[in-house]
Structure formats: C-alpha cells, structure tokens
C-alpha cells in the first residue's frame, strides 16, 4: 500500500532582516556606502537591486509498506547490495559504488538511463536513506527504506520525498513505489531458490572494432548495453525475453582485440540449471 502527503515550504535565498541593507561586493572591508552618496564602484548612485523573492514549492511524500515472509537482514542486504540488483530486478543494468555515492544504469524501454545518488547505510538500525544527485528525475528527490521485524517476517517501508512534480508524475512515483515493494517481496521470499539457480562463468572472445562497435553489435543481437567505465560494457540479455532465464547479465572488458566477459545466469527453473552450466561457457567463447 502507499499514500501521499503534501507539505508546503519555501526554497530560495534567505530574506533580509528589517533594517539591513545589501552591501555592494566592491565595498572595501571596513567601509560602508554613505546615505545619500554613491557607493564606491557605483558613481551613478543607482539603487541596489532587490534580492530575489523566495520561490514557493510543494513537497510531496509517497509512502508504501509491505509485509514480507523473510528476515530483516536478508531484506536490508537485498537493497543495500546494489551490485546484485541487475540479477534480481528486471530494470537494473548495472551499479557502481564510490564511498557513499552510487551510480545506477537502468532500462527504460529501449533506452538506458543513468543517475547518481548519495546514500547512508545503517545496518544496525535497518535503515537506508538516499538522495538523488544528478541528473535527478525530480527536484530534491530523497527517501528511505526501513525494515521492521515482526512475527510474520518483516514490514518493509519505502518513502520518496520530492518537490515540484505534476499530478501525473506524482501518480507515477506512487505506482513505482508499490511495484518496487511487490517485487522486493517476490525476490526475498524466493531468494534461496533464485540463488541456487544462479550460475557464473567467464571467458574471452576475439572481437574487431572499438568498444562502441562491439556495443552496437550486441544491441542489434538482443542485448541491452551501456559503457559504464573506460573499455567496460555492462550487458543484460533482453532479446526474445527467453523464458528459460530469470536473468542473464554480464560485464565485458575490452583489451585490444579481446573481450573478457564475466557472465551470470539465473535459470527460471531448477531443471534448467545443468543445461545452463553446460551452455554458458560455450556461449561466452562464441
């Protein structure tokens, strides 16, 4: 479930207190412009421009919660470990972490979007707070995840707070919040099975052309691909939406004419794991 509340506030420069005047930047330290005389650097004696007025904005908070039959540490780790998100969450392509800053690449239809966010992890308090940096999808987007233990497992709560959004965009955030929580529940309650059906492999492939040439050929053959670092591609199989797989992800590094690939496949069913183990190394080597 989710709900939205709105708070009104002001953002902008601080108001000038009564009786105080702005002082031109070119007045020397210890001097003040004299009443009735031109200030230094303003021989025409023009009046100073008035400070910009505060801008009125509306801040909206979308809240949602769901009860999950899984322990809090598992759920906390599922959200905190953004490096694993591409394997379990369909839109996620890749994530990199540098200190408290995370950069994500996600699938949006036939395109890939990327943004950065700052987060604070509190494993003892079972809380993760975040703030979108750039490019922010909405003005001043921030939020938090919390994980409350209960007799039924865990109550997971997710909140997004943002400013200046249209009614349509607010409705989108509400729908996405509910969808995120539903998906977290499905993954967490089936996490043991998904982990058991996940296979890793690595290999090398001889290629021609630049990294951009390799990326173009992979996209044409059914992969989502993004350059996430110099000579590094993040990949996710999207072609034909193969029902044998829950997810197929890879990271490919170009070294001269060799593409070194690390691939992870989560099979859709237990019966397919053996076949995936045999197929994956061969598929990587081409």
């Amino acid at each position: 479930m989710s709900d939205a509340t709105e708070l009104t506030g002001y953002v902008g420069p601080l108001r000038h207190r009564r009786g105080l005047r702005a002082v031109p930047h070119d007045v020397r330290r210890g001097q003040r412009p004299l009443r009735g005389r031109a200030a230094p650097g303003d021989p025409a004696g023009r009046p100073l421009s008035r400070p910009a007025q505060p801008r009125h904005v509306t801040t909206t908070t979308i809240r949602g919660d769901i009860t999950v039959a899984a322990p809090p540490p598992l759920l906390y780790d599922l959200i905190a470990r953004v490096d694993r998100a591409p394997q379990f969450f369909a839109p996620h392509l890749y994530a990199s972490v540098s200190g408290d800053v995370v950069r994500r690449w996600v699938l949006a239809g036939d395109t890939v979007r990327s943004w950065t966010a700052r987060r604070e992890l509190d494993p003892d308090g079972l809380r993760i707070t975040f703030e979108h940096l750039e490019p922010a999808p909405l003005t001043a987007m921030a939020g938090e995840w919390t994980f409350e233990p209960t007799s039924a497992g865990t109550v997971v709560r997710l909140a997004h707070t943002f400013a200046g959004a249209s009614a349509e965009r607010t409705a989108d955030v509400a729908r996405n919040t509910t969808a995120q929580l539903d998906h977290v529940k499905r993954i967490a309650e089936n996490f043991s099975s998904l982990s058991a059906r996940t296979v890793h492999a690595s290999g090398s492939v001889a290629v021609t052309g630049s990294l951009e040439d390799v990326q173009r050929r992979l996209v044409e053959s059914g992969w989502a691909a993004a350059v996430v670092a110099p000579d590094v591609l993040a990949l996710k199989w999207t072609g034909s939406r193969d029902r044998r797989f829950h997810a197929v992800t890879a990271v490919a590094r170009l070294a001269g004419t060799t593409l070194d690939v690390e691939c992870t496949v989560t099979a859709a069913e237990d019966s397919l794991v053996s076949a995936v183990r045999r197929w994956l190394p061969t598929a990587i080597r081409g």
Side-chain angles (χ1 to χ4, degrees):
M1 59 181 292
S2 64
D3 60 72
T5 59
E6 293 188 352
L7 304 172
T8 57
Y10 289 92
V11 295
L14 296 174
R15 297 174 179 172
H16 289 260
R17 294 182 180 178
R18 185 182 302 275
L20 297 181
R21 294 186 299 147
V23 177
H25 291 297
D26 56 355
V27 175
R28 296 180 180 175
R29 187 185 300 270
Q31 294 182 339
R32 293 187 179 183
L34 301 177
R35 186 183 302 274
R37 295 175 56 185
D42 187 11
R46 291 186 297 269
L48 297 172
S49 60
R50 299 182 62 185
Q53 294 301 308
R55 179 167 55 89
H56 181 273
V57 298
T58 298
T59 300
T60 303
T61 297
I62 304 291
R63 296 184 177 90
D65 62 79
I66 197 166
T67 299
V68 183
L74 187 152
L75 284 152
Y76 175 91
D77 196 51
L78 187 61
I79 302 303
R81 287 283 307 277
V82 294
D83 58 305
R84 299 191 307 182
Q87 203 62 33
F88 300 113
F89 298 96
H92 289 255
L93 176 61
Y94 189 76
S96 65
V97 180
S98 178
D100 61 353
V101 174
V102 175
R103 184 175 181 186
R104 293 180 183 269
W105 286 260
V106 299
L107 307 181
D110 295 330
T111 62
V112 177
R113 293 177 52 236
S114 177
W115 70 85
T116 58
R118 179 176 289 109
R119 64 178 186 163
E120 182 177 342
L121 302 178
D122 180 7
D124 294 332
L126 295 172
R127 181 185 303 271
I128 300 171
T129 58
F130 58 88
E131 176 187 6
H132 286 221
L133 301 176
E134 58 182 12
L138 291 170
T139 303
M141 168 71 87
E144 71 173 6
W145 292 86
T146 60
F147 310 88
E148 179 185 351
T150 68
S151 59
T154 306
V155 175
V156 181
R157 295 185 175 88
L158 172 59
H160 289 95
T161 299
F162 49 92
S166 64
E168 180 180 3
R169 192 68 182 91
T170 299
D172 286 344
V173 175
R175 284 192 295 269
N176 289 340
T177 298
T178 299
Q180 280 182 278
L181 290 167
D182 288 341
H183 197 65
V184 166
K185 177 181 175 71
R186 288 195 299 271
I187 296 301
E189 292 181 346
N190 294 280
F191 191 76
S192 295
S193 176
L194 288 169
S195 298
R197 289 186 267 121
T198 298
V199 180
H200 306 275
S202 60
S204 299
V205 183
V207 296
T208 59
S210 66
L211 189 70
E212 289 71 21
D213 294 330
V214 174
Q215 179 183 14
R216 176 180 51 77
R217 292 196 293 267
L218 286 167
V219 170
E220 290 173 351
S221 63
W223 291 84
V227 178
V228 297
D231 296 324
V232 179
L233 283 174
L235 305 169
K236 193 163 196 173
W237 175 247
T238 59
S240 77
R241 307 293 179 183
D242 199 324
R243 294 182 180 275
R244 295 175 298 171
F245 307 123
H246 173 80
V248 181
T249 63
V251 175
R253 295 172 173 84
L254 184 63
T257 60
T258 301
L259 193 67
D260 297 318
V261 183
E262 298 176 1
C263 189
T264 304
V265 177
T266 302
E269 300 176 5
D270 292 340
S271 60
L272 296 172
V273 174
S274 296
V276 169
R277 289 186 186 278
R278 293 191 299 270
W279 163 80
L280 185 53
T282 304
I284 290 174
R285 288 191 294 269

